[in-house]
Amino acid sequence: MDESVQRAVSKQIGQEFFAGYFYLAISAHFERESLLGFARWMRAQAQEELAHAMKLFDFMNHRGANPQLKSVPAPPSEFGPPLSLFEAALEHEREVSRLIHELYDLAGNKHDHATQLELQWFITEQVEEESMIGAVVDQLRMAGDNKAALLMLNREMGARDSG
Ligand code: FEO
Protein backbone atom coordinates (compact mmCIF):
# COMPACT_ATOMS: atom_id res chain seq x y z
CA MET A 1 0.00 0.00 0.00
CA ASP A 2 1.17 3.51 -0.79
CA GLU A 3 2.65 5.20 2.30
CA SER A 4 0.24 8.16 2.20
CA VAL A 5 -2.76 5.83 1.90
CA GLN A 6 -1.46 3.79 4.85
CA ARG A 7 -1.15 6.94 6.92
CA ALA A 8 -4.64 8.11 5.98
CA VAL A 9 -6.30 4.73 6.67
CA SER A 10 -4.43 4.55 9.99
CA LYS A 11 -5.76 7.98 10.85
CA GLN A 12 -9.26 6.81 10.01
CA ILE A 13 -8.84 3.86 12.40
CA GLY A 14 -8.15 6.46 15.11
CA GLN A 15 -11.25 8.42 14.07
CA GLU A 16 -13.39 5.32 14.44
CA PHE A 17 -11.96 4.58 17.89
CA PHE A 18 -12.62 8.20 18.84
CA ALA A 19 -16.21 7.87 17.61
CA GLY A 20 -16.51 4.79 19.86
CA TYR A 21 -15.24 6.83 22.83
CA PHE A 22 -17.53 9.72 21.94
CA TYR A 23 -20.66 7.56 21.89
CA LEU A 24 -19.62 5.62 24.99
CA ALA A 25 -19.20 8.87 26.94
CA ILE A 26 -22.67 10.00 25.83
CA SER A 27 -24.07 6.58 26.72
CA ALA A 28 -22.68 6.87 30.26
CA HIS A 29 -24.19 10.35 30.55
CA PHE A 30 -27.64 9.06 29.52
CA GLU A 31 -27.27 6.22 32.02
CA ARG A 32 -26.66 8.77 34.79
CA GLU A 33 -29.74 10.67 33.64
CA SER A 34 -31.81 7.44 33.73
CA LEU A 35 -32.52 7.76 30.00
CA LEU A 36 -31.70 4.09 29.61
CA GLY A 37 -33.08 3.70 26.09
CA PHE A 38 -30.84 6.46 24.73
CA ALA A 39 -27.95 5.00 26.76
CA ARG A 40 -28.44 1.58 25.20
CA TRP A 41 -28.70 3.09 21.72
CA MET A 42 -25.46 5.05 22.18
CA ARG A 43 -23.69 2.00 23.55
CA ALA A 44 -24.74 -0.04 20.49
CA GLN A 45 -23.50 2.82 18.30
CA ALA A 46 -20.16 2.80 20.14
CA GLN A 47 -19.81 -0.92 19.51
CA GLU A 48 -20.45 -0.33 15.80
CA GLU A 49 -17.70 2.28 15.72
CA LEU A 50 -15.22 -0.12 17.32
CA ALA A 51 -16.20 -2.70 14.70
CA HIS A 52 -15.51 -0.10 11.98
CA ALA A 53 -12.05 0.49 13.43
CA MET A 54 -11.37 -3.25 13.46
CA LYS A 55 -12.62 -3.64 9.89
CA LEU A 56 -10.00 -1.13 8.69
CA PHE A 57 -7.37 -2.62 11.00
CA ASP A 58 -7.97 -6.10 9.53
CA PHE A 59 -7.98 -4.70 6.00
CA MET A 60 -4.56 -3.15 6.50
CA ASN A 61 -3.17 -6.34 7.99
CA HIS A 62 -4.53 -8.37 5.09
CA ARG A 63 -2.74 -6.02 2.72
CA GLY A 64 0.53 -6.44 4.59
CA ALA A 65 0.36 -2.77 5.59
CA ASN A 66 1.22 -1.13 8.89
CA PRO A 67 -1.68 0.30 10.93
CA GLN A 68 0.09 3.15 12.73
CA LEU A 69 -1.95 3.42 15.91
CA LYS A 70 -1.84 6.79 17.63
CA SER A 71 -3.35 8.06 20.88
CA VAL A 72 -7.12 8.58 20.89
CA PRO A 73 -8.33 11.99 22.12
CA ALA A 74 -10.57 12.13 25.17
CA PRO A 75 -14.29 12.51 24.44
CA PRO A 76 -16.24 15.51 25.76
CA SER A 77 -17.06 15.51 29.46
CA GLU A 78 -19.80 18.17 29.42
CA PHE A 79 -23.21 17.20 28.14
CA GLY A 80 -26.23 19.21 27.08
CA PRO A 81 -29.80 18.05 26.55
CA PRO A 82 -30.53 14.98 24.36
CA LEU A 83 -31.27 17.08 21.26
CA SER A 84 -27.89 18.81 21.41
CA LEU A 85 -26.12 15.46 21.89
CA PHE A 86 -27.78 13.88 18.88
CA GLU A 87 -27.08 17.05 16.88
CA ALA A 88 -23.42 16.70 17.86
CA ALA A 89 -23.53 13.04 16.80
CA LEU A 90 -24.97 14.02 13.41
CA GLU A 91 -22.30 16.69 12.98
CA HIS A 92 -19.68 14.10 13.87
CA GLU A 93 -21.00 11.61 11.32
CA ARG A 94 -21.03 14.28 8.59
CA GLU A 95 -17.39 14.98 9.35
CA VAL A 96 -16.58 11.25 9.22
CA SER A 97 -18.32 11.03 5.83
CA ARG A 98 -16.21 13.92 4.59
CA LEU A 99 -13.02 12.20 5.78
CA ILE A 100 -14.00 8.89 4.15
CA HIS A 101 -14.72 10.66 0.85
CA GLU A 102 -11.34 12.39 1.05
CA LEU A 103 -9.67 9.05 1.73
CA TYR A 104 -11.53 7.47 -1.18
CA ASP A 105 -10.24 10.22 -3.50
CA LEU A 106 -6.68 9.77 -2.21
CA ALA A 107 -6.86 5.99 -2.82
CA GLY A 108 -8.16 6.78 -6.34
CA ASN A 109 -5.25 9.13 -7.03
CA LYS A 110 -2.87 6.36 -5.98
CA HIS A 111 -4.72 3.78 -8.13
CA ASP A 112 -5.36 1.73 -4.98
CA HIS A 113 -8.48 -0.11 -6.11
CA ALA A 114 -8.61 -2.50 -3.15
CA THR A 115 -8.74 0.40 -0.68
CA GLN A 116 -11.40 2.12 -2.76
CA LEU A 117 -13.49 -1.04 -2.74
CA GLU A 118 -13.09 -1.38 1.04
CA LEU A 119 -14.10 2.26 1.49
CA GLN A 120 -17.24 1.82 -0.60
CA TRP A 121 -18.68 -0.16 2.32
CA PHE A 122 -17.98 2.80 4.59
CA ILE A 123 -19.50 5.29 2.17
CA THR A 124 -22.75 3.28 2.17
CA GLU A 125 -22.60 2.89 5.95
CA GLN A 126 -22.23 6.66 6.41
CA VAL A 127 -25.36 7.33 4.34
CA GLU A 128 -27.25 4.97 6.67
CA GLU A 129 -25.78 6.48 9.85
CA GLU A 130 -26.47 10.07 8.85
CA SER A 131 -30.02 9.17 7.92
CA MET A 132 -30.62 7.22 11.16
CA ILE A 133 -29.21 9.93 13.44
CA GLY A 134 -30.88 12.67 11.37
CA ALA A 135 -34.24 10.99 12.00
CA VAL A 136 -33.60 10.98 15.76
CA VAL A 137 -32.72 14.68 15.63
CA ASP A 138 -35.98 15.39 13.75
CA GLN A 139 -38.01 13.45 16.30
CA LEU A 140 -36.34 15.17 19.25
CA ARG A 141 -37.10 18.52 17.65
CA MET A 142 -40.74 17.49 17.28
CA ALA A 143 -40.82 16.38 20.93
CA GLY A 144 -39.53 19.81 22.01
CA ASP A 145 -40.23 20.34 25.72
CA ASN A 146 -42.76 17.54 25.89
CA LYS A 147 -41.35 15.13 28.51
CA ALA A 148 -43.85 12.37 27.67
CA ALA A 149 -42.74 12.41 24.02
CA LEU A 150 -39.08 12.35 25.11
CA LEU A 151 -39.67 9.33 27.35
CA MET A 152 -41.56 7.54 24.60
CA LEU A 153 -38.69 8.08 22.17
CA ASN A 154 -36.23 6.96 24.85
CA ARG A 155 -38.22 3.72 25.29
CA GLU A 156 -38.45 3.14 21.54
CA MET A 157 -34.73 3.65 21.01
CA GLY A 158 -33.91 1.23 23.79
CA ALA A 159 -35.21 -1.55 21.55
CA ARG A 160 -32.11 -1.28 19.34
CA ASP A 161 -30.03 -4.48 19.23
CA SER A 162 -26.62 -4.10 20.83
CA GLY A 163 -23.73 -3.94 18.39
FE1 FEO B 1 -17.83 4.69 11.81
FE2 FEO B 1 -20.26 6.39 12.65
O1 FEO B 1 -19.16 5.78 11.33
Side-chain angles (χ1 to χ4, degrees):
M1 263 171 100
D2 173 90
E3 186 53 43
S4 65
V5 177
Q6 288 193 52
R7 264 201 311 276
V9 176
S10 300
K11 200 166 154 211
Q12 190 57 37
I13 292 175
Q15 288 286 346
E16 302 290 345
F17 276 120
F18 173 74
Y21 256 32
F22 181 54
Y23 292 131
L24 260 190
I26 299 175
S27 173
H29 163 74
F30 281 140
E31 215 44 77
R32 290 192 296 277
E33 297 283 302
S34 296
L35 288 167
L36 301 181
F38 290 149
R40 186 181 158 90
W41 192 97
M42 280 290 173
R43 188 188 173 103
Q45 189 60 29
Q47 278 164 336
E48 276 203 10
E49 298 301 346
L50 302 181
H52 295 170
M54 294 313 292
K55 187 167 164 48
L56 290 174
F57 177 80
D58 286 339
F59 172 72
M60 290 193 82
N61 286 330
H62 293 155
R63 300 280 309 277
N66 174 24
Q68 301 144 31
L69 302 177
K70 301 279 192 324
S71 54
V72 180
S77 54
E78 307 260 321
F79 306 93
L83 174 59
S84 75
L85 295 174
F86 278 94
E87 281 173 339
L90 182 58
E91 210 40 58
H92 176 79
E93 290 304 332
R94 287 180 176 152
E95 175 62 10
V96 169
S97 298
R98 193 187 66 72
L99 292 169
I100 300 264
H101 297 162
E102 224 174 65
L103 188 45
Y104 185 84
D105 289 341
L106 174 68
N109 291 340
K110 301 292 176 187
H111 310 291
D112 185 342
H113 302 138
T115 297
Q116 282 196 301
L117 199 57
E118 177 73 11
L119 290 171
Q120 279 174 14
W121 183 91
F122 283 86
I123 291 171
T124 306
E125 176 75 5
Q126 284 307 119
V127 171
E128 196 193 299
E129 294 208 336
E130 283 187 37
S131 148
M132 177 175 68
I133 298 174
V136 178
V137 167
D138 285 344
Q139 289 174 48
L140 282 168
R141 283 188 185 141
M142 280 180 235
D145 292 332
N146 183 336
K147 291 272 188 293
L150 179 77
L151 290 176
M152 202 160 76
L153 187 57
N154 168 63
R155 201 163 42 239
E156 230 173 67
M157 287 176 62
R160 177 179 181 172
D161 288 338
S162 54

